[in-house]
Amino acid sequence: MLVFILCHASESDDRIAAARALGLRDLDLDLNCLNALCACCSERSLDPRLRVAALAALESLLREPCMPDDKALVATRRSRGAGVSPRNSLPPEFYDRLDTSLRASLEDGDSSDVRSAAARATGASVSSGLALSALLDLVKTDTVAEVRATCATELKRFGPENRDAAFALLGALGDRDVTTRDHAAASFAGFKTAKFNAELAKATVAKLTTKSEGKKDSFTPVLQSTAARALSFLEHA
């Protein structure tokens, strides 16, 4: 019934309420439900509030508080761009659709709320395909600081394996927005066991030792301070 309301109700408020209800973890969800949420979040003609609600539901359903002990299962699902959920065993084609839907939402130039919600859902799903590529781009180029900060937070979830995510965070340390810089520094904690830890630490130290361009250069000390915080989260050997 909730899926029917989500897809066919005439009032946006009713559809939004259905999306929020579907995001509750105590519901027994199936593939049809998740596909319906994907369809809603990527359809740009819909009310942005509905798309945000659909993305929030996907985030809630895909983000698990703990991971199963089966490391092989975790690796397999991550290689497919999947979230690690002990409750759902979903076919690979669902994750292809999810990845496409998340990318479409991340590339929505009209609504920063949709982009932020899509960033959170991408982090929840640990989607390593097109959506991650869009996330890596947004953390550098989005014109809305809140979106960049959200992207920086979610990139932590791709650690410790994903090198591109780690070095995107390195770049975000130089963001002109203080919240984005702080979130990027904190996200270094996701990469403290990375195989490329020493290389990442060395690149961060290079920012720490950036030379000031004179008395009028007020940003270099800020960058140095942010790099120092990032190193403290990285805890490199």
Side-chain angles (χ1 to χ4, degrees):
M1 179 60 73
L2 286 173
V3 172
F4 181 84
I5 295 172
L6 174 69
C7 296
H8 301 294
S10 58
E11 297 294 331
S12 288
D13 286 347
D14 292 335
R15 300 178 73 178
I16 291 168
R20 289 172 177 168
L22 288 170
L24 298 176
R25 290 183 178 275
D26 58 351
L27 292 177
D28 184 15
L29 297 172
D30 59 19
L31 187 59
N32 288 334
C33 166
L34 293 168
N35 282 334
L37 290 169
C38 285
C40 282
C41 74
S42 60
E43 180 50 65
R44 295 193 181 187
S45 65
L46 295 178
D47 186 333
R49 297 178 302 144
L50 172 56
R51 298 178 62 201
V52 168
L55 287 160
L58 284 171
E59 176 196 356
S60 177
L61 296 168
L62 295 171
R63 193 190 302 282
E64 290 293 334
C66 58
M67 296 168 66
D69 293 332
D70 188 345
K71 293 183 179 180
L73 173 62
V74 172
T76 299
R77 298 197 68 196
R78 285 197 174 207
S79 71
R80 295 173 177 172
V84 183
S85 168
R87 293 177 55 230
N88 295 311
S89 179
L90 299 167
E93 55 267 25
F94 163 72
Y95 295 107
D96 293 335
R97 179 170 190 176
L98 174 67
D99 189 46
T100 300
S101 297
L102 291 176
R103 180 190 64 169
S105 300
L106 288 165
E107 293 177 348
D108 186 329
D110 297 325
S111 173
S112 61
D113 289 340
V114 169
R115 296 196 300 278
S116 289
R120 290 189 291 270
T122 301
S125 69
V126 199
S127 181
S128 57
L130 298 171
L132 175 58
S133 296
L135 193 69
L136 293 171
D137 182 61
L138 284 187
V139 76
K140 295 183 294 184
T141 64
D142 201 284
T143 58
V144 178
E146 181 183 352
V147 177
R148 299 197 305 276
T150 301
C151 292
T153 296
E154 296 305 324
L155 284 172
K156 175 182 178 180
R157 303 183 186 281
F158 291 86
E161 302 96 342
N162 195 295
R163 177 187 177 89
D164 290 339
F167 281 86
L169 289 171
L170 179 70
L173 296 178
D175 196 284
R176 293 288 169 169
D177 173 63
V178 61
T179 303
T180 301
R181 293 195 303 272
D182 288 347
H183 287 201
S187 288
F188 268 54
F191 298 89
K192 60 186 177 182
T193 61
K195 293 180 179 179
F196 50 84
N197 179 288
E199 183 182 356
L200 182 60
K202 182 178 180 179
T204 308
V205 169
K207 290 184 177 293
L208 182 64
T209 57
T210 300
K211 292 183 179 179
S212 175
E213 296 180 0
K215 294 182 179 180
K216 294 184 178 181
D217 180 8
S218 61
F219 187 70
T220 294
V222 172
L223 175 60
Q224 292 169 335
S225 176
T226 305
R229 290 199 302 276
L231 281 173
S232 71
F233 283 107
L234 189 60
E235 295 180 358
H236 65 284

